[in-house]
């Protein structure tokens, strides 16, 4: 179930343009939480802006909280499915999750960053030396923002070799 359905489906969900998804305006103000319980009159729409002023693209956009927290929950699901399970963590590399997670890091919310960095920490030892060289900012932010345990081995690179018919694990720094 995990290999064939859940992990690829969640990664496919995360592979869309996440900034557009999180900032999408798809809520009806009269049906949002405070107004659905207590009637709050809508704001006066009679005073509008002149049409010659365009919105500034550099200004931060308001995020849709439903879309933001659905993204956070999807990241939490992947993290819970792969934590302490190395075969599932290696399957994240098979499904090409590092570029997808790297695109998800562009969302400017601390909770999204935390869970993406946790996922990178889980699969960092399986990614290889070239990926580590190209993504040192991600590795340093993992070191700064994610809690560490005493016996964490995420900084080591694990390679699997076949020696005399046996599968051997070799750690390389």
């Amino acid at each position: 179930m995990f290999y064939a359905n859940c992990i690829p489906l969640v990664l496919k969900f995360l592979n869309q343009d996440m900034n557009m998804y999180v900032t999408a305006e798809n809520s009806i103000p009269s049906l949002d939480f405070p107004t659905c319980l207590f009637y709050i009159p809508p704001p006066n729409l009679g005073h509008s802006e002149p049409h010659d002023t365009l919105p500034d693209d550099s200004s931060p956009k308001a995020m849709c909280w439903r879309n933001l927290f659905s993204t956070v929950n999807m990241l939490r699901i992947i993290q819970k499915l792969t934590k302490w399970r190395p075969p599932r963590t290696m399957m994240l590399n098979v499904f090409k999750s590092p570029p997808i997670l790297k695109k998800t890091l562009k969302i400017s919310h601390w909770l999204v960053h935390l869970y993406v960095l946790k996922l990178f920490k889980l699969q960092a030892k399986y990614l290889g030396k070239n990926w580590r060289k190209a993504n040192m900012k991600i590795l340093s932010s993992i070191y700064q923002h994610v809690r560490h345990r005493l016996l964490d081995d995420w900084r080591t690179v694990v390679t699997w070799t076949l020696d005399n018919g046996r599968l051997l694990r070799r750690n390389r720094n």
Side-chain angles (χ1 to χ4, degrees):
M1 178 180 131
F2 300 112
Y3 300 131
N5 295 332
C6 189
I7 294 174
L9 183 67
V10 174
L11 287 175
K12 185 182 248 188
F13 170 77
L14 293 173
N15 200 12
Q16 61 184 324
D17 186 10
M18 294 307 291
N19 281 332
M20 292 295 292
Y21 176 71
V22 169
T23 58
E25 297 177 12
N26 59 357
S27 64
I28 302 170
S30 62
L31 298 178
D32 279 344
F33 173 66
T35 37
C36 68
L37 293 179
F38 311 107
Y39 177 73
I40 299 172
N44 188 1
L45 300 177
H47 303 288
S48 62
E49 293 183 303
H51 294 288
D52 57 288
T53 60
L54 296 175
D56 187 17
D57 289 337
S58 63
S59 65
K61 294 182 179 179
M63 294 188 184
C64 178
W65 66 271
R66 285 187 187 104
N67 294 347
L68 179 69
F69 286 106
S70 68
T71 304
V72 170
N73 288 332
M74 292 293 178
L75 290 168
R76 289 179 72 188
I77 287 170
I78 292 181
Q79 199 261 340
K80 286 184 179 190
L81 286 176
T82 57
K83 188 175 182 180
W84 304 113
R85 291 175 176 88
R88 292 182 191 169
T89 306
M90 286 190 284
M91 288 304 288
L92 284 176
N93 290 340
V94 171
F95 296 131
K96 310 247 186 304
S97 70
I100 296 170
L101 294 175
K102 197 171 178 181
K103 284 193 313 186
T104 309
L105 269 177
K106 293 179 182 176
I107 299 173
S108 60
H109 193 268
W110 66 274
L111 204 53
V112 175
H113 282 237
L114 178 68
Y115 282 105
V116 169
L117 291 177
K118 282 184 177 186
L119 284 169
F120 272 125
K121 182 182 173 186
L122 285 174
Q123 59 182 332
K125 59 183 167 185
Y126 304 111
L127 288 174
K129 195 173 183 181
N130 292 335
W131 187 90
R132 290 169 172 265
K133 284 181 182 178
N135 297 295
M136 284 304 292
K137 287 185 180 180
I138 294 174
L139 294 176
S140 63
S141 61
I142 290 172
Y143 190 73
Q144 291 172 354
H145 300 292
V146 180
R147 182 180 293 168
H148 301 289
R149 297 184 186 270
L150 184 62
L151 298 175
D152 272 346
D153 60 346
W154 66 274
R155 290 178 296 262
T156 61
V157 177
V158 176
T159 57
W160 298 89
T161 59
L162 191 63
D163 187 35
N164 294 334
R166 293 186 356 218
L167 193 63
L168 295 177
R169 177 182 171 181
R170 293 187 182 164
N171 293 333
R172 295 182 186 172
N173 290 331

